[in-house]
Amino acid sequence: MSAGVDRVAAAFTRAREENRAALVGYLTGFDPDRAGSLERIFAACEGGLDVLELGVPFSDPTADGPTIQAAMTRALASGASVAGALALAAEIRRRFELPIVLFSYANPLISYGPERLSRETAEAGADALLVVDLPPEHAEVLRGPASARGLGWVGLVAPTTTPNRRARVLGASSGFVYAVSLTGVTGAPLNPGDPALHAGLATLRSASSLPIVVGFGVRKAEDVRALAGHADGVVVGSALVEAGQRGPAALGELVKTLRAGTLRA
């Protein structure tokens, strides 16, 4: 299997051929510590994730709600770093073929060094970057080196994104596009049947050939089922982090339940 955007594309193609949305799961590296996070991530991958978003902890995660903020705090207390997250990615890659997306904020990634980050991300076997606080007009500092290494660049589109900015985000994206389902932070309450949300997803799908993945507030199989027909993938984050605190087995069972919800009618 080839790396980077090709591995991401293949995951969405497989899901589409199985008449379902891809299940994208977020977990924070080093939460609660290095060994514990690997146990949880392995359980989630074995449970049926199609794409893993591996959180690179940051001390000021403004886009995230209390659950993921707390996970990042625990991870940092356990010695998390960019280098440590990349080492985790390499261990995950040795065991699983699913795409790995590094999810973080601009500060730690730029501080690490864009060229070094892109080189080591590719060497670790990760496939894409998702940087939640780097707008398209400033993204080239990381996107350029990442693209040169064959890595995807996941753009984010929110309900408040203007048409002009949406076009810029889509034009800079590769791998997939992350549609933020609501105005708020991760883990906030979501109405997955909201017609306005469905209409926004339809607009994105008509504007880009990339897979459209929807996230923020998705917690249950019923949420996933309500969105599976409107997007190419569905992201679950805070609910996975919470399940992980109950142990790897609980997390793996939740992933299995969520994956069952990805099937389309």
Side-chain angles (χ1 to χ4, degrees), residues 36 41 64-65 74 79 89 97 102 105 123 132 196 205 213-214 236 241:
I41 290 166
D64 290 300
R74 290 191 296 269
E97 268 296 326
L102 291 187
Y105 290 78
E123 290 172 350
V132 298
R205 294 183 87 174
V213 170
V214 59
V236 182
V241 172

Side-chain angles (χ1 to χ4, degrees), residues 67-246:
T67 296
I68 294 178
Q69 286 186 11
M72 289 195 174
T73 297
R74 290 191 296 269
L76 290 169
S78 296
S81 65
V82 174
L86 291 170
L88 287 184
E91 289 204 44
I92 297 161
R93 174 58 63 232
R94 284 193 285 271
R95 186 162 172 174
F96 298 98
E97 268 296 326
L98 85 170
I100 301 170
V101 179
L102 291 187
F103 175 112
S104 194
Y105 290 78
N107 184 291
L109 301 187
I110 292 174
S111 296
Y112 196 71
E115 295 288 348
R116 178 188 179 194
L117 173 75
S118 299
R119 182 184 71 254
E120 294 182 5
T121 297
E123 290 172 350
D127 302 288
L129 301 179
L130 195 167
V131 187
V132 298
D133 61 343
L134 197 59
E137 57 267 28
H138 301 300
E140 190 60 22
V141 62
L142 287 176
R143 191 182 75 86
S147 178
R149 295 283 179 176
L151 302 173
W153 181 265
V154 180
L156 294 99
V157 177
T160 54
T161 303
T162 64
N164 285 342
R165 177 170 288 272
R166 181 177 66 224
R168 294 188 69 173
V169 172
L170 296 179
S173 298
S174 56
F176 63 89
V177 176
Y178 193 125
V180 178
S181 62
L182 46 79
T183 53
V185 295
T186 55
L190 170 69
N191 174 11
D194 183 0
L197 171 58
H198 297 171
L201 292 171
T203 297
L204 278 179
R205 294 183 87 174
S206 67
S208 176
S209 61
L210 293 173
I212 306 301
V213 170
V214 59
F216 280 44
V218 182
R219 302 186 61 84
K220 301 173 293 186
E222 292 81 2
D223 300 336
V224 174
R225 193 170 295 113
L227 293 168
H230 301 276
D232 301 291
V234 183
V235 186
V236 182
S238 296
L240 296 189
V241 172
E242 291 170 359
Q245 292 185 277
R246 300 192 297 273

